[in-house]
Amino acid sequence: MEKRWWQEAVVYQIYCKSFCDTNGDGIGDLRGVRSKLPMLKELGINCIWFNPIYRSPQVDNGYDISDYQDIDPTYGTLDEFRELLAEAHTMGIRVIMDLVLNHTSNQHRWFQESRKSKDNPYRNYYIWRAPKEDGKEPNNWGNYFYEGKGSAWQFDELTGEYYLHNYSWQMPDVNWEYEPLRQEMYRMMRWWLDMGVDGFRLDAINRLKKPEGLPDSKKPPAPPVGIYGYVVDRAICTNVPGIHELLRNINKNVWSKYDCMTVGECGNLSSDGALDYISQGNKEIDMLFHFEIGKNPDIITVREYKQTQQRWIDLMKHNAWITQFLTNHDSPRQVSRFGNDREYRVPSAKLLATLTHTMPGTPFVYQGEEIGMTNVYFDTIEDYNERYTVGKYWTMIEAGEDPETALGKLRDMSRDNARTPYQWSDDENAGFSTGKPWIRVNPRYREINYRADRDSKDSIFDYYKRLIALRLSCPAIIDGDFRFLLMDHPQIVMYLRSCARQTLLVAVNFSDDEVPVQFPEELDGFVWERLLTNLDGSTPVMDRRDVWMPWEAEIYQMIG
Ligand code: NOJ
C-alpha cells in the first residue's frame, strides 16, 4: 500500500464544547484548546480531530451547521482558528475537521431560502415531498432522535410540503442528487483545505445517497416510535447503490487534490461491505469508523472482540487501512464500557489503550480517556442534554414506560457519558470553567482529574505517553504483520506484530480474574525483553509464568 502520513497519525479527538473554557461562559473554546496544545504535544499525539466548531444553533452540539465557513462565536473566531492551526502545525500537530455533509441546520441560509417557495433556486438543495392523499407523511420512516411523534418528515406550512430529516427536524437532509448542491459542498471543502486543514472526519458519510423513490421501510414498527406507525430503520438510507459513485466524485473533485486524510463515520456497515469504501484503488475515503466494537450497543465478549478485529484487519491485505478506537463523543466512556471503572480503573484504562495503540490501523484517543474518565450516571432526565437520550426517554414515557426503567435503559449508552466537561482538577467545576458548565460535571471529578493523575505514580497519562512514543518508534506496530495467538481464549488477548527488523508480542488479561498463564509453544526458546507493563514493579509474566493479574497488559520485544 502506498505510504501516507495518516498511517503514522495518532489522533486526539477534541469535543471543544467540553474541553477547556477560558472566558467563563461554561462552554469550552478555541483559546482553551490552544492553551492545552503543549499538554497534547507532551502526550505525543500528532493530529487533532475537532468535533464540529462551525457556526451552529447547537441543537445537536454543532452537527447542525448554519454556516460551514465560520466558527461558532461561543468557540471563538475564524482568525483564532487560523492562529490555532498555525501553532499546531508549528508543533507538528495536524488538524482535521468534522464535516457534516448529510444535513445542515434549518437555520442555514440554503434552507431558509429553500422553504420560501417551490420554485426558489435553493428548493432542491433539500428533499421535499408532497403529502400523501390523506395528508400523511410521504413514507413511514422514523427519525433517529425519536423527536416529535417520531416521523422523519416535517411538514412546512409555508409551501404545504414535507421535508426529510433523518435526525432532528431542525437538521434537514440535503439533496446530493442536485448538482448545484454538490458544487457548493466541493467549494466549501476546498476552502478549508486551502486554508491548511489536513483532512476531514466525515459524519454519517454512507448516508448521503437515499434509496430510489424513498420507499417505506419493511421493518415491523417497534415501540416506542412504532406505536405511532413510524419505523426507525437506520439501514434504509445507508450504503444505498450509487453511494460509491457519489464518494468517488467528491474524491476526484476535492480530496484527491490535497495530501489530506479522510475518515468516514459508517453506521450499519459490516466488514463485508467496507472494502468498497476504503480500498485505496477505489479512490473514495481513506479509512472509516465502524460500529462493530466501540459503538455496538451489545456487550461484546473477548472472543468476539478478537474475531471482529480479525475481520477488519484482514481487509488490510486488500490495499486498505483501518481505524482503532473504543470510544468517541457518541459512545460511553471506554473504561466504563469495556474495563472496570471501579477497583481496576487504572490498569483497565491502560490495558484498553495498549490494544488500541498496538493493533494495526490508526489509533484515535477521545479526550479524557488518557486520564481514565468514566461514565456519568445522572439521576434525572433533566440533567441529560443530548437529543437521542432525551428524545428516546420521552417517547418511552409516552409509550407507557415508567421513568426509572426508561432512564435505566438509556443511561449506560447515553452519549452524554462522553460529553461531560474535561476534569482538569478537583477545583470547582473540575477546573473546566469558572462559570456554570453547559452540562453537569461528572461527580467523580474530585478523585479522577488530570492533576491527580499526573501526580500519581500510577499515572494513566504517563502510560499513554510511553505507549504512543513506543508505537511511533516501532516499525512492527505501524505497518508490521499481525497474528493473534490463543484466539479462542476467553480472557487473554495475545498477538504478534512483526516486520523484518522487529518482532513484538502484546499480551493482556482482559478480565477481572486472575488467569493461569498459558503461552503457545511456538514462543518457547526465544528471549523476550519487556518493553512496557501497566503494573509497574511487577515481574514480567514471561519470567514468572504463574498467573496473569486482573487487567495486566504487557508488550515484549524478541531479542534472541
Ligand atoms: C454522527 C455524529 O457523530 C453524532 O454526534 C451526530 O448526532 C449525528 N451523526 C448527526 O450528525
Side-chain angles (χ1 to χ4, degrees):
M1 181 168 176
E2 187 203 334
K3 200 102 182 122
R4 302 288 304 276
W5 65 263
W6 36 261
Q7 293 163 348
E8 292 189 31
V10 178
V11 186
Y12 188 89
Q13 183 187 349
I14 296 190
Y15 203 73
C16 187
K17 197 164 189 159
S18 298
F19 193 56
C20 177
D21 174 23
T22 57
N23 64 1
D25 65 357
I27 299 172
D29 46 47
L30 292 182
R31 279 174 192 225
V33 174
R34 208 166 154 193
S35 72
K36 300 297 180 187
L37 286 178
M39 161 253 190
L40 296 176
K41 182 73 194 165
E42 186 188 348
L43 185 61
I45 59 97
N46 53 22
C47 184
I48 289 171
W49 148 22
F50 269 111
N51 281 104
I53 48 175
Y54 315 93
R55 194 178 273 271
S56 156
Q58 303 291 322
V59 162
D60 189 24
N61 292 354
Y63 283 91
D64 49 320
I65 299 172
S66 56
D67 186 344
Y68 284 99
Q69 290 175 230
D70 202 1
I71 297 293
D72 196 80
T74 52
Y75 297 137
T77 64
L78 254 183
D79 281 342
E80 281 173 346
F81 177 78
R82 287 198 179 93
E83 284 162 23
L84 190 156
L85 182 64
E87 189 170 334
H89 282 169
T90 314
M91 295 169 85
I93 298 175
R94 304 201 199 227
V95 175
I96 68 167
M97 300 290 273
D98 208 318
L99 194 57
V100 189
L101 298 176
N102 180 69
H103 44 268
T104 67
S105 159
N106 62 347
Q107 301 305 310
H108 195 289
R109 187 177 55 85
W110 301 340
F111 188 76
Q112 292 295 312
E113 286 297 319
S114 183
R115 65 183 290 255
K116 281 185 181 160
S117 68
K118 290 184 190 166
D119 55 9
N120 187 285
Y122 288 89
R123 186 66 169 182
N124 291 328
Y125 274 44
Y126 295 87
I127 302 170
W128 293 93
R129 290 291 181 274
K132 280 189 179 159
E133 269 165 25
D134 57 3
K136 287 252 176 69
E137 294 82 2
N139 67 27
N140 68 353
W141 298 356
N143 74 72
Y144 306 150
F145 283 175
Y146 295 80
E147 284 191 353
K149 293 270 181 263
S151 171
W153 295 92
Q154 178 76 17
F155 187 68
D156 193 359
E157 283 180 359
L158 217 50
T159 53
E161 290 196 331
Y162 286 95
Y163 63 84
L164 177 69
H165 63 92
N166 269 311
Y167 297 88
S168 167
W169 68 273
Q170 288 153 293
M171 296 156 72
D173 284 45
V174 300
N175 177 14
W176 275 87
E177 302 305 316
Y178 192 53
E179 189 57 27
L181 178 278
R182 297 185 201 219
Q183 292 301 330
E184 291 259 25
M185 291 294 201
Y186 296 168
R187 202 181 45 72
M188 172 274 290
M189 285 187 260
R190 286 195 214 110
W191 184 82
W192 283 105
L193 293 164
D194 287 338
M195 187 195 293
V197 307
D198 300 285
F200 300 112
R201 177 267 186 187
L202 300 160
D203 189 67
I205 196 65
N206 56 342
R207 299 209 155 119
L208 301 192
K209 181 88 186 171
K210 315 298 178 206
E212 190 66 42
L214 310 180
D216 275 340
S217 166
K218 299 273 181 312
K219 264 179 68 175
V225 156
I227 60 170
Y228 305 110
Y230 303 112
V231 182
V232 180
D233 182 351
R234 288 167 191 272
I236 202 158
C237 284
T238 41
N239 315 316
V240 170
I243 182 68
H244 296 291
E245 193 196 336
L246 200 158
L247 291 177
R248 279 196 290 272
N249 271 325
I250 309 182
N251 186 306
K252 190 166 128 220
N253 283 284
V254 187
W255 305 326
S256 64
K257 301 191 187 300
Y258 300 82
D259 184 19
C260 69
M261 145 181 172
T262 51
V263 50
E265 183 208 29
C266 291
N268 287 97
L269 181 73
S270 71
S271 50
D272 291 343
L275 261 188
D276 293 336
Y277 288 98
I278 55 173
S279 164
Q280 257 195 346
N282 285 6
K283 299 195 181 340
E284 294 188 21
I285 55 178
D286 297 322
M287 50 190 150
L288 62 79
F289 295 125
H290 61 82
F291 286 50
E292 296 202 306
I293 299 174
K295 293 172 76 176
N296 184 339
D298 305 321
I299 296 294
I300 193 165
T301 65
V302 172
R303 275 200 197 109
E304 285 164 349
Y305 168 82
K306 289 189 264 192
Q307 288 156 358
T308 310
Q309 284 285 6
Q310 185 69 62
R311 278 191 284 113
W312 283 89
I313 292 167
D314 283 345
L315 301 182
M316 298 177 90
K317 295 185 193 124
H318 306 276
N319 209 15
W321 196 258
I322 63 170
T323 56
Q324 289 294 341
F325 71 105
L326 289 171
T327 189
N328 60 34
H329 65 291
D330 290 330
S331 308
R333 288 279 173 185
Q334 67 186 41
V335 70
S336 302
R337 179 85 196 291
F338 301 105
N340 176 330
D341 69 6
R342 293 287 160 182
E343 58 271 50
Y344 296 115
R345 186 182 67 87
V346 172
S348 67
K350 293 177 182 175
L351 177 146
L352 297 171
T354 310
L355 297 174
T356 299
H357 291 266
T358 61
M359 291 253 176
T362 296
F364 289 75
V365 178
Y366 179 68
Q367 69 180 41
E369 67 170 74
E370 74 283 8
I371 54 164
M373 280 177 61
T374 58
N375 277 358
V376 69
Y377 297 100
F378 293 137
D379 293 331
T380 115
I381 191 65
E382 276 69 40
D383 284 333
Y384 286 90
N385 171 281
E386 61 101 352
R387 300 297 273 211
Y388 173 79
T389 300
V390 174
K392 189 153 186 185
Y393 175 85
W394 289 113
T395 315
M396 286 162 87
I397 298 296
E398 263 191 66
E401 194 83 77
D402 80 276
E404 211 163 306
T405 317
L407 203 54
K409 283 187 184 164
L410 293 168
R411 253 197 301 234
D412 281 350
M413 287 304 286
S414 171
R415 306 190 298 171
D416 282 337
N417 284 312
R419 298 180 182 185
T420 58
Y422 195 103
Q423 293 151 213
W424 291 105
S425 66
D426 63 358
D427 297 339
E428 203 180 346
N429 300 326
F432 159 72
S433 172
T434 53
K436 184 172 185 287
W438 68 276
I439 186 171
R440 278 185 56 196
V441 171
N442 188 324
R444 290 184 74 183
Y445 77 92
R446 293 199 183 277
E447 161 211 357
I448 303 167
N449 61 66
Y450 176 81
R451 200 190 290 153
D453 182 79
R454 298 303 310 266
D455 287 346
S456 154
K457 60 174 187 16
D458 220 7
S459 161
I460 302 172
F461 188 97
D462 221 56
Y463 185 81
Y464 267 73
K465 261 172 75 172
R466 283 183 279 153
L467 188 59
I468 294 171
L470 182 74
R471 172 188 175 81
L472 293 175
S473 67
C474 284
I477 300 183
I478 304 273
D479 52 12
D481 290 341
F482 173 91
R483 187 155 60 87
F484 271 124
L485 304 171
L486 306 181
M487 188 67 178
D488 290 325
H489 199 293
Q491 288 141 317
I492 301 294
V493 180
M494 192 184 282
Y495 46 90
L496 290 168
R497 302 293 324 263
S498 55
C499 64
R501 285 188 284 149
Q502 195 177 41
T503 297
L504 300 178
L505 173 74
V506 180
V508 312
N509 173 9
F510 205 138
S511 80
D512 277 347
D513 307 324
E514 291 190 1
V515 174
V517 163
Q518 205 189 325
F519 279 112
E521 274 177 21
E522 65 174 288
L523 299 183
D524 290 348
F526 296 101
V527 185
W528 299 91
E529 174 196 20
R530 189 169 72 178
L531 300 181
L532 196 64
T533 170
N534 66 345
L535 301 184
D536 282 337
S538 63
T539 308
V541 176
M542 278 284 193
D543 300 342
R544 55 174 214 261
R545 297 201 176 229
D546 49 0
V547 292
W548 288 98
M549 299 310 287
W551 301 102
E552 185 161 20
E554 298 191 318
I555 304 177
Y556 291 92
Q557 173 161 228
M558 188 190 280
I559 52 170

